[in-house]
Amino acid sequence: MSEVQNILSKLISFDTVSRNSNLKLISYIQDYLSGFGISSRLVENDDKSKANLYATIGPNIAGGVILSGHTDVVPIDDQDWDTDAFTLTEKDGKYFGRGTCDMKGFIAICLAAVPNVLAADLKRPIHLYFSYDEEIGCIGAVELVNEIVKHLPPVEAVIVGEPTNMQVANLHKGVAAYMTRVTGVEAHSSKTNLGISANLAAAKLIHFLSDLLDEFKLNPQKNLTSLIPNHNTLNVGLLKGGTALNILPRSCEFSLDIRTLPSDNPEKYMDQYRAYARKIEKQMQAEFEIANIEISTSAKAPGLIPEPNGNAERLALNLSSNNKTIAVAYGTEAGLFQRAGYSTIVCGPGSIDQAHKPNEFIEISQIEKGEIFIEKLINRVAN
Ligand SMILES: [Zn+2]
């Protein structure tokens, strides 16, 4: 068994679905690194059930490279797997398991390279940076980016190893997620004078959002044809309201996910939406004072914008032997780094087509490409 496979099988065995703690995996990485005399620092969440980890290998000076990955994975609920999702299974030149592709494969490559990094006598550092709760909105990374801005010397580049088939992505949308909770007043459905329907109020709000989506479609950004679609999008993915056919529903809630072009800001549209919600709330409260509408933000991650002559792009193109960049449809932590002033790129093994699905896998050939990339990086910072 190769060292990468060994480490990957260990990483996969920890059920780090975002709703669970990732501490066992983090302490495995911490122990692994300390076995090489490398100390790591943790940045915990409020209730200390999860942690980000970062570690510096080589001299702690400016000009290093950050390799970034997230430790959490998406759930396997209601998915039909042919193998145990938390046991690494090798078949037909592929490793199967939840997180193999998104994105424990990249983390395993980084960790397996540690002995080579140490042997290389680095002139500049390689920083490892592993976060929690990426899959539910890059939550851990917000704290971690704040932390490294304070504690790490400036770096040449940040490479976020999300699956791009080892291509270099310099562009993706921003993602923001919200919940709307409408509270009405319950009554017999025939007595609309005694109550107010939360579902019908929610319908008005969703209608507003549907119109907003139509407006988005009419406003593509023409110079960004590599983004498909090249306009903002929104989705109401979850909707829950009411209790029975003949009861005016007291509560209705729904999710909203807005994906904006990287230079745009979702708050612009949320301001319009909130203003409309206030108007509907006022109408409801004119009838029943206790009715209300609450809108909360559950996640927000900015988009990634191509950097003219960016360090990270140049470095990643060189290391991956690519001559052009791509855009990706999904969001990543890269935008958070970029907004904090770091030159950032997304480049990692595996295909996003295999992520988040049952029987997630990574081609072993992709792991090998990732290993070559890291080897080249080591050579570069050793000279
Ligand atoms: Zn991911």
Side-chain angles (χ1 to χ4, degrees):
M1 202 188 267
S2 75
E3 188 58 359
V4 176
Q5 188 180 359
N6 212 352
I7 294 171
L8 183 56
S9 102
K10 195 72 198 170
L11 296 177
I12 296 295
S13 73
F14 299 108
D15 174 354
T16 54
V17 170
S18 311
R19 63 180 169 239
N20 301 330
S21 167
N22 72 340
L23 292 181
K24 283 191 179 138
L25 178 145
I26 289 292
S27 91
Y28 162 76
I29 295 178
Q30 209 172 9
D31 289 349
Y32 174 84
L33 291 174
S34 77
F36 294 99
I38 300 163
S39 59
S40 34
R41 294 170 79 162
L42 303 189
V43 183
E44 292 166 317
N45 67 345
D46 286 345
D47 69 6
K48 300 194 188 311
S49 61
K50 295 173 186 179
N52 301 300
L53 175 150
Y54 70 101
T56 296
I57 315 175
N60 197 14
I61 57 169
V65 173
I66 294 177
L67 298 175
S68 164
H70 62 81
T71 59
D72 60 322
V73 295
V74 294
I76 58 165
D77 308 1
D78 301 323
Q79 291 190 347
D80 205 5
W81 282 70
D82 296 335
T83 60
D84 177 24
F86 298 104
T87 303
L88 188 74
T89 308
E90 180 181 350
K91 213 179 94 188
D92 305 329
K94 298 165 185 157
Y95 294 135
F96 289 86
R98 172 56 88 226
T100 45
C101 152
D102 186 13
M103 56 177 292
K104 291 175 172 175
F106 178 76
I107 296 178
I109 292 167
C110 295
L111 293 176
V114 165
N116 295 348
V117 177
L118 289 173
D121 185 26
L122 299 188
K123 303 288 183 295
R124 292 179 285 141
I126 290 180
H127 308 279
L128 301 177
Y129 168 113
F130 303 135
S131 65
Y132 65 85
D133 280 358
E134 190 273 347
E135 295 291 5
I136 50 175
C138 301
I139 291 166
V142 174
E143 290 302 312
L144 191 44
V145 171
N146 289 342
E147 173 87 5
I148 61 167
V149 166
K150 273 186 266 166
H151 295 290
L152 287 193
V155 298
E156 177 189 3
V158 178
I159 295 165
V160 176
E162 290 278 358
T164 60
N165 275 322
M166 294 311 296
Q167 291 182 282
V168 178
N170 64 355
L171 173 63
H172 66 64
K173 285 178 179 169
V175 186
Y178 307 86
M179 280 302 291
T180 302
R181 291 185 181 82
V182 183
T183 305
V185 176
E186 268 174 327
H188 189 282
S189 61
S190 66
K191 292 292 202 178
T192 50
N193 55 321
L194 297 181
I196 190 161
S197 165
N199 283 359
L200 291 184
K204 288 180 188 165
L205 297 174
I206 292 171
H207 189 256
F208 178 93
L209 294 171
S210 172
D211 284 349
L212 185 57
L213 176 59
D214 290 342
E215 212 179 286
F216 286 163
K217 288 178 181 169
L218 293 174
N219 287 292
Q221 193 164 335
K222 301 220 168 55
N223 63 338
L224 288 184
T225 46
S226 57
L227 270 185
I228 302 170
N230 61 340
H231 56 73
N232 296 338
T233 60
L234 67 79
N235 179 45
V236 175
L238 281 169
L239 172 64
K240 199 170 77 188
T243 45
L245 171 77
N246 54 0
I247 300 175
L248 292 180
R250 194 178 75 86
S251 83
C252 182
E253 58 177 34
F254 57 90
S255 66
L256 167 63
D257 139 326
I258 301 190
R259 299 185 180 242
T260 44
L261 296 166
S263 53
D264 207 347
N265 180 357
E267 283 306 307
K268 206 163 90 190
Y269 309 103
M270 287 308 290
D271 284 347
Q272 298 169 16
Y273 174 59
R274 286 193 189 97
Y276 181 71
R278 290 287 81 85
K279 191 177 125 192
I280 300 298
E281 186 184 54
K282 264 205 183 120
Q283 290 169 1
M284 295 171 81
Q285 287 176 343
E287 287 184 65
F288 295 92
E289 220 179 304
I290 55 167
N292 77 25
I293 300 173
E294 271 172 50
I295 300 166
S296 59
T297 306
S298 43
K300 211 160 19 165
L304 180 67
I305 305 171
E307 304 164 11
N309 286 314
N311 283 341
E313 181 176 316
R314 198 167 41 242
L315 175 68
L317 284 172
N318 181 279
L319 299 178
S320 64
S321 307
N322 281 302
N323 53 23
K324 64 175 190 344
T325 55
I326 60 164
V328 287
Y330 51 91
T332 76
E333 300 176 339
L336 288 169
F337 284 103
Q338 194 178 53
R339 298 273 161 121
Y342 294 95
S343 179
T344 307
I345 209 77
V346 183
C347 180
S351 164
I352 199 69
D353 296 351
Q354 275 97 50
H356 297 206
K357 297 213 297 201
N359 303 318
E360 176 180 345
F361 68 84
I362 190 164
E363 305 260 3
I364 295 174
S365 61
Q366 280 291 309
I367 294 276
E368 288 163 356
K369 279 193 172 180
E371 288 180 280
I372 293 168
F373 182 95
I374 298 295
E375 270 315 304
K376 285 188 178 170
L377 173 67
I378 295 168
N379 284 333
R380 205 189 126 103
V381 289
N383 290 298

